[in-house]
Amino acid sequence: MLAISTRGFLWSDVETRTLLNIWGEQDIQTALDGNFRNSHVYRDVARRLGEMGFERTPEQCRVRIKSLKRQFLLAKEGNLRNNGQYHKICKFYDAMERILSSRPQIDPQELLDSGAVGDETMDGTEEEEDTDPPQHPYLESTGECSYPETQVKMEYPPIPIPVTVGNGKYHLYGMLLHCYHIVCRYYHSHSPQNLNPLSSTGTTVRQTSSSQSASGPSSSRPKRPKKRHADLPLDSLMERFLEQSAEAEQSFYQLEEQRLQVEDRRREAEHARELHMLQVLGQMFSSIATRNPVAPATTAMPPARNTMESTMQPGVPMSASSHMMRGRSCHLRVRSPQSQAEWPSYHTRPQSNAGSQTLVIERSFSLGTAARTGMDDILPLVKNIVPPLTSKKHKGQDGRIGIIGGCQEYTGAPYFAAISALKVGADLSHVFCTKDAAIVIKSYSPELIVHPVLDSPNAVEEIEKWLPRLHSLVVGPGLGRDDKLLKNAKEVIEKSKARDIPIVIDADGLWLVAQQPSVIQGYQKGILTPNYMEFTRLYEAMYHEPLDSSDHQRSAMELSVAMGNLTVVLKGEEDLITDGNKVILCRQEGSGRRCGGQGDLLSGSLGVLAHWAYASSADMTKSVNPSVVAAFGACSLTRQCNKQAFHKHGRATTTTDMIQEISSAFKKLFES
């Protein structure tokens, strides 16, 4: 499973606006106008949305578009725009009006009668309700004729809203339109132009009434008794209608979520059955190998993890297949015992051996290429990416780093990350924090550029203005878990991905990724730096099962593959670095001292090294993933600083002491 699709049904504003931009494109609108069956159009919309980083199914895109069009019609035809209430119904009214204004005009009443919205038709039928026309009571007062007050009794029965899931037909929106039709009919009957004024005065009315009563019961019209009916205003009806719509939509989402959970459990059961079948097949091959051993093939086979070999007589049915199981590939390969030549799984080659023909079958489990590269191979690459110091450079050329984090409770973490970036070699270091933390962080060092905008109403716009000037971004140090700050950080990550700059995510930024993996999933310049607890949270969020702590290397590779081959740095006794294709262990000597802030030193220095690695040519990194090279350099530097500081201060070592060692440690590792 290389990617995990978004399972939630709540659309964020960024996702909705991206969907509207795609749906409003000329080719999409042209395809929708001329086709009644438009499933292929929404598959194209879902594909384009996926390229923008949002994994949605075509059905989810279609339902979301229909919902937005319904809200747009309610706001436009409900006469709510005059009193400024239409934004409560349709948040994206302006965007929808811009798109739909270029299309042929459609009669809203025709849409209501036919139960269709836009270019989709509702499944199911609508039932008409029989209502008596409003009666005009006689006026008993004298004076000039005026429009009488009409009392309308709203006694509509409760309308059930059935939702059927599974056959692809949704009656929800047909029922909602039926409710809206009832409201419109009430408003139409209550409007003054539909009321017939009396042509005589009140005195004439009384005279006519008395003359009719004198002529006898046969010619008199029975007088209807007066009733006091509740005259509900249109605003109250519309508010009730919107509440029922929201409840019905929430019920629909809950049922769909339950259906997806059942589907997930079914897939897991299928995977378990496939694994069981493979185990049975392996036992069968083992028993065959026990009866007919083949010595030459056994000695010539290359080493493979969990490898089984056996011989097979011609004519015996054989199935060669390939299964992908959470980043692990299982292959059955056929080999010739004499020539040791490997053949594809769909070929079988007999081989004569003492009058009998045999086939050698190899079953192996592997994690991609899963190559391990040593420290001696990567350290020279880190030295290659370090830019030389020359007098021809200008300020900012060696790196302008942005730190997203810092709130009232946590002011040290963003400072450690920002000052470490400067100490490693960045020219400028920006900190985007909350207003309460800005003064404190600024007081730590005058070298930092502090922006108190992270909790402002227009935080994303303020930070976006600085993104063109930044070379890399570090998200998470001191960020906290406030919903508003996490939302702003998510949108800043989306804007930074569009700028194609390296993004390092640490600390509370990893909490955001665990809640919403799609925010960074598949972005090749993304780097995650979790400790063991953060890594466990990420792994369980992706696979929904407990972490197997017996094999950290395999688990780290699985997480990297699930996140789209992002670079993962698992901090621990040995820092483990992987991009899903290879594993690097950083065994640089450190110390037993673990104090708060060491991870911030690593993330800040990693932000600088990531910029240097991606700015270097492919020859300098020898085609190794630049994120892996930068991560190895940052881990080695942090461990060396820890070692030197501990040598001087022992148990009293703090992150401040480690930062003071950056200069000498960097020179010893990368400039000697």
Side-chain angles (χ1 to χ4, degrees):
M1 185 183 300
L2 297 181
I4 301 300
S5 300
T6 302
R7 290 298 188 195
F9 283 87
L10 299 180
W11 289 69
S12 66
D13 292 350
V14 176
E15 283 184 279
T16 302
R17 295 191 184 279
T18 305
L19 176 64
L20 287 177
N21 290 337
I22 296 173
W23 180 69
E25 293 178 2
Q26 185 64 32
D27 57 337
I28 296 296
Q29 292 297 312
T30 302
L32 289 174
D33 285 339
N35 293 279
F36 178 77
R37 296 186 179 276
N38 47 33
S39 59
H40 65 284
V41 180
Y42 283 100
R43 283 197 296 269
D44 188 26
V45 172
R47 180 185 60 78
R48 299 185 189 184
L49 192 64
E51 292 175 355
M52 301 296 292
F54 304 103
E55 295 294 332
R56 292 284 181 178
T57 64
E59 182 63 18
Q60 289 175 341
C61 296
R62 187 183 71 85
V63 171
R64 182 56 174 165
I65 289 295
K66 291 177 68 174
S67 176
L68 292 172
K69 290 163 70 175
R70 173 179 59 81
Q71 295 173 11
F72 174 78
L73 280 179
L74 292 180
K76 189 171 184 179
E77 300 302 328
N79 290 328
L80 297 179
R81 192 171 183 178
N82 295 332
N83 55 12
Q85 299 293 324
Y86 66 98
H87 276 297
K88 293 183 179 179
I89 300 177
C90 185
K91 185 176 182 180
F92 305 93
Y93 184 93
D94 296 333
M96 293 293 297
E97 186 178 38
R98 173 178 55 81
I99 297 172
L100 296 179
S101 61
S102 61
R103 301 183 64 178
Q105 295 296 326
I106 302 175
D107 185 10
Q109 187 62 33
E110 180 181 353
L111 292 175
L112 294 174
D113 293 340
S114 63
V117 180
D119 20 45
E120 289 87 15
T121 59
M122 295 292 119
D123 295 327
T125 59
E126 297 180 356
E127 298 179 358
E128 294 291 338
E129 294 184 0
D130 296 331
T131 58
D132 296 332
Q135 301 292 332
H136 303 287
Y138 292 99
L139 299 177
E140 298 183 358
S141 60
T142 60
E144 297 182 356
C145 176
S146 61
Y147 290 99
E149 294 183 0
T150 301
Q151 298 174 348
V152 180
K153 182 178 181 182
M154 301 300 295
E155 294 181 350
Y156 297 109
I159 301 174
I161 304 179
V163 179
T164 60
V165 181
N167 57 359
K169 297 183 179 179
Y170 303 93
H171 300 277
L172 173 64
Y173 296 107
M175 292 295 99
L176 294 181
L177 283 175
H178 185 50
C179 297
Y180 178 65
H181 195 186
I182 294 173
V183 176
C184 290
R185 285 194 301 183
Y186 161 69
Y187 183 78
H188 181 71
S189 65
H190 195 58
S191 59
Q193 58 267 27
N194 292 327
L195 302 178
N196 297 322
L198 297 177
S199 59
S200 60
T201 62
T203 305
T204 306
V205 170
R206 287 195 299 272
Q207 291 176 357
T208 305
S209 177
S210 59
S211 64
Q212 290 178 351
S213 61
S215 63
S218 60
S219 61
S220 63
R221 181 178 179 181
K223 188 175 182 180
R224 295 173 61 90
K226 292 185 177 181
K227 294 182 180 180
R228 295 293 181 182
H229 303 300
D231 188 8
L232 298 177
L234 181 60
D235 292 341
S236 300
L237 292 175
M238 187 59 67
E239 182 178 358
R240 183 182 303 174
F241 166 68
L242 292 177
E243 290 176 356
Q244 293 180 355
S245 302
E247 293 175 358
E249 192 169 359
Q250 185 65 26
S251 176
F252 168 75
Y253 288 153
Q254 291 176 355
L255 290 174
E256 186 67 11
E257 189 71 27
Q258 293 175 3
R259 186 186 69 82
L260 290 175
Q261 291 176 359
V262 172
E263 186 70 14
D264 288 340
R265 288 194 291 268
R266 183 187 64 80
R267 291 196 192 96
E268 292 176 359
E270 289 181 356
H271 290 324
R273 286 195 296 270
E274 291 177 359
L275 184 59
H276 177 69
M277 292 174 61
L278 289 174
Q279 291 174 350
V280 172
L281 186 62
Q283 293 174 0
M284 180 184 69
F285 288 161
S286 299
S287 62
I288 296 175
T290 303
R291 292 194 299 268
N292 301 313
V294 181
T298 305
T299 57
M301 286 283 185
R305 181 181 177 186
N306 193 14
T307 301
M308 294 181 296
E309 302 162 1
S310 66
T311 61
M312 190 171 182
Q313 298 296 332
V316 179
M318 181 190 65
S319 173
S321 60
S322 175
H323 300 277
M324 290 303 298
M325 297 179 296
R326 219 174 55 213
R328 291 170 289 187
S329 59
C330 172
H331 303 281
L332 292 177
R333 292 197 293 266
V334 182
R335 307 190 66 168
S336 170
Q338 284 188 345
S339 62
Q340 305 302 324
E342 183 174 317
W343 294 83
S345 59
Y346 49 82
H347 289 292
T348 60
R349 183 173 183 176
Q351 184 254 346
S352 59
N353 184 8
S356 63
Q357 293 181 335
T358 61
L359 293 174
V360 179
I361 299 176
E362 174 189 354
R363 175 176 177 261
S364 63
F365 288 92
S366 63
L367 284 168
T369 54
R372 297 183 182 179
T373 307
M375 293 178 55
D376 296 337
D377 299 329
I378 299 298
L379 192 59
L381 303 182
V382 181
K383 295 180 180 180
N384 291 342
I385 67 173
V386 176
L389 297 176
T390 64
S391 59
K392 296 181 180 180
K393 290 186 176 180
H394 55 79
K395 181 178 65 176
Q397 189 172 349
D398 279 343
R400 296 184 293 270
I401 313 302
I403 311 295
I404 305 297
C407 58
Q408 184 177 7
E409 294 83 0
Y410 307 109
T411 59
Y415 162 74
F416 288 145
I419 199 66
S420 297
L422 286 178
K423 293 279 188 179
V424 169
D427 293 340
L428 296 172
S429 190
H430 297 258
V431 179
F432 299 91
C433 60
T434 64
K435 186 177 180 181
D436 295 336
I439 298 178
V440 180
I441 297 175
K442 189 67 177 179
S443 66
Y444 292 154
S445 174
E447 284 88 0
L448 305 182
I449 304 173
V450 183
H451 307 267
V453 298
L454 192 55
D455 56 347
S456 63
N458 58 339
V460 179
E461 290 78 6
E462 291 292 333
I463 299 175
E464 186 178 7
K465 294 188 301 186
W466 288 91
L467 289 181
R469 309 182 189 183
L470 301 180
H471 292 125
S472 66
L473 200 69
V474 180
V475 181
L479 179 62
R481 297 181 182 178
D482 181 77
D483 292 339
K484 181 179 179 181
L485 299 184
L486 292 175
K487 179 177 179 295
N488 291 338
K490 175 185 176 182
E491 295 185 19
V492 170
I493 292 175
E494 297 290 347
K495 301 290 185 182
S496 302
K497 287 162 59 178
R499 304 289 308 179
D500 195 35
I501 61 177
I503 303 175
V504 180
I505 300 183
D506 186 34
D508 292 322
L510 296 172
W511 170 271
L512 172 63
V513 174
Q515 305 302 313
Q516 304 179 54
S518 61
V519 69
I520 196 66
Q521 191 174 25
Y523 185 62
Q524 295 303 307
K525 293 187 179 181
I527 306 174
L528 308 182
T529 60
N531 57 27
Y532 181 75
M533 296 301 298
E534 294 163 341
F535 178 81
T536 303
R537 188 185 302 118
L538 286 171
Y539 187 93
E540 294 177 353
M542 296 301 296
Y543 289 115
H544 306 288
E545 64 181 29
L547 172 66
D548 181 10
S549 59
S550 61
D551 193 347
H552 289 170
Q553 296 185 28
R554 186 185 67 180
S555 300
M557 292 191 68
E558 290 176 349
L559 178 61
S560 176
V561 171
M563 293 297 296
N565 288 95
L566 266 67
T567 299
V568 176
V569 181
L570 176 56
K571 298 177 288 189
E573 182 180 0
E574 295 178 345
D575 293 336
L576 192 152
I577 306 165
T578 179
D579 60 354
N581 297 318
K582 62 180 63 179
V583 177
I584 299 176
L585 296 178
C586 181
R587 295 190 174 96
Q588 184 72 31
E589 184 181 356
S591 73
R593 174 61 172 159
R594 296 290 183 268
C595 56
Q598 295 185 57
D600 304 312
L601 190 157
L602 186 147
S603 61
S605 59
L606 180 53
V608 183
L609 292 171
H611 162 57
W612 290 350
Y614 279 101
S616 303
S617 62
D619 295 337
M620 292 185 177
T621 58
K622 295 183 180 179
S623 301
V624 178
N625 188 341
S627 296
V628 173
V629 176
F632 181 82
C635 292
S636 300
L637 179 63
T638 304
R639 287 174 168 271
Q640 183 65 27
C641 291
N642 181 268
K643 174 185 176 182
Q644 295 181 188
F646 185 79
H647 181 72
K648 294 180 180 179
H649 304 281
R651 288 184 176 272
T653 301
T654 62
T655 303
T656 303
D657 301 324
M658 293 174 57
I659 291 175
Q660 300 301 323
E661 302 295 328
I662 289 179
S663 176
S664 59
F666 188 93
K667 184 176 181 180
K668 181 177 181 179
L669 289 175
F670 309 131
E671 294 180 342
S672 61

